[in-house]
Amino acid sequence: MSQTSRGGDTAPPSTATALPTPKERRRLREALSLSEEQVAEAMGVTKATVKAWETGRSAPRGRKREAYAKLLRGLPDDPAETPAGPTPAPTAHVRPKAADRRAARPPKGPARPEQRLKPAPEPAPDPVPAPEPAPEPVAARGPEPSGLTAEEAFDALYGHAAPGLVHQTYLLTGRRALSREAVEHAFHHAWEHWPEVAVDADPVGWVRAAAYEYALSPWHRLRRTHKHPDAPPTEAGRRALLGALLDLPAPYRRTVLLYDGLGLDLPETAAETEASTPAAANRLLYAHAEIGRRVPELADPEALQRRLATLVAEAPTATLPAARAVRGGSERRTRRLTRAVVGVTAALVCVTALTAVTAPTRYIPDIAPGQTVNGVPVRGGPQKLGEEDVELRDRLRSEPNPGPERLVPTVR
């Protein structure tokens, strides 16, 4: 697949239709205590559509995009729409020592929109000061000064994120081969959708979500190579923690790794796992309780966070193929899929054409099945000879004069 489009080629959206990142949309909605049903009713869409907007699977267009942008800018937490005056208290929960945990996590690409907003202007003498428009996202402003091509940007993302993702996926599954396969599959998928990934504010999170989804698929249990986990580590502490993680259900395991291991906030963790914030919090409480029961020294959440952060920050040892090979594999797979689709389509066209040619042009009634007719006389003629009759006939034909000679007639 030839990738010629880049993230900078996208036309920058207008100020009225600029939208924050999907994770920030969820945070802004929860800041006003609005449910997905209420937003869906206000926008005239379904709840599933609002969930798709907040997970990044789709985005509103046209008038709905403008109305959705106005709805988000109308929340108190958006500084672009906050009138001059005392700053309201933040409603989002920030746990202590979040900066220490985020120091170990890899950079997530361009800064989020709320981190790039300019400071609020000084109060104007007008009674109603006009709000300062929010700037467009960095990914939509055009090419960066570095001027990277699509291939160079993909190779940089692969070299930065792939080794760490393999290590994280191993903590989720306990299978090294599956973790490498999941990361390669995620980057294949990212190259196929590179225009979308290039403009994403968190490209590492995009690839991470794809790798986690593939690694945690229950269908891998049917494969012989990935049916059982690898041998546990020799160190007792690592073996106990990894065993406790693998005994958790997959959504709980993923939630605790994102929150405690990578240091994501609760709304970000809920958005990446496609769950509500209360559901993500309940998963964390259950996971902490189960891990504390299995490993008593990790009963304190802070101790668990430090241990998981240390595990995630370890230097990965996995050997991965080169980024060029990953791109080539993705393009070959796309070509094979395209050829298969074209072949199936051509076969369907041929079958349809053959059916149209050979099909009857008029209605042909079916032949009625046979029926029993009474009153017909029995077929005449000699009866069929039995076995004894046939044997006697053959003897008469082979022995025409079986009697004494004196009784044999003489021909004169």
Side-chain angles (χ1 to χ4, degrees), residues 49-325:
T49 303
V50 176
K51 181 179 286 292
W53 292 351
E54 294 183 354
T55 55
R57 292 195 300 267
S58 65
R61 297 180 180 179
R63 296 183 179 179
K64 290 189 181 299
R65 182 185 181 92
E66 183 177 355
Y68 190 51
K70 290 182 180 180
L71 176 65
L72 296 180
R73 287 199 303 269
L75 296 178
D77 282 5
D78 193 343
E81 293 292 333
T82 303
T87 304
T91 58
H93 172 69
V94 180
R95 60 184 182 186
K97 301 183 180 180
D100 298 338
R101 290 191 303 275
R102 293 190 179 186
R105 64 187 284 196
K108 298 175 62 176
R112 291 190 295 271
E114 69 273 16
Q115 296 174 343
R116 298 192 300 271
L117 292 175
K118 299 178 181 179
E122 296 294 334
D126 301 333
V128 181
E132 183 178 354
E136 295 87 358
V138 173
R141 294 178 183 175
E144 293 296 324
S146 58
L148 296 178
T149 62
E151 291 78 7
E152 293 172 347
F154 176 85
D155 295 351
L157 177 64
Y158 181 82
H160 168 72
L165 286 178
V166 172
H167 184 58
Q168 297 169 25
T169 311
Y170 168 70
L171 297 178
L172 277 179
T173 61
R175 299 166 175 84
R176 293 178 176 83
L178 178 58
S179 62
R180 290 192 295 269
E181 181 182 331
V183 173
E184 290 182 25
H185 172 82
F187 276 97
H188 285 167
H189 193 58
W191 182 242
E192 294 172 3
H193 299 78
W194 183 247
E196 176 186 348
V197 180
V199 299
D200 196 280
D202 185 11
V204 177
W206 196 100
V207 180
R208 180 177 61 233
Y212 285 7
E213 289 289 344
Y214 182 86
L216 295 176
S217 174
W219 296 106
H220 295 306
R221 301 175 185 175
L222 304 178
R223 303 172 59 185
R224 179 179 300 179
T225 55
H226 303 318
K227 189 173 184 180
H228 302 289
D230 297 345
T234 56
E235 184 183 349
R238 293 169 58 91
R239 183 171 62 252
L241 178 55
L242 185 59
L245 282 175
L246 295 180
D247 287 342
L248 292 173
Y252 295 78
R253 198 185 318 155
R254 182 177 179 180
T255 301
V256 74
L257 180 64
L258 291 173
Y259 185 81
D260 294 321
L262 298 180
L264 270 66
D265 290 338
L266 192 59
E268 295 178 348
T269 303
E272 186 158 332
T273 56
E274 297 186 0
S276 63
T277 303
N282 291 332
R283 290 176 180 177
L284 281 175
L285 293 177
Y286 177 83
H288 289 171
E290 287 297 315
I291 295 176
R293 184 179 61 84
R294 293 283 302 273
V295 188
E297 59 268 20
L298 299 180
D300 185 12
E302 292 294 334
L304 176 60
Q305 292 165 9
R306 288 192 297 268
R307 180 72 66 85
L308 280 178
T310 303
L311 284 179
V312 171
E314 288 181 352
T317 59
T319 302
L320 294 173
R324 183 176 181 180

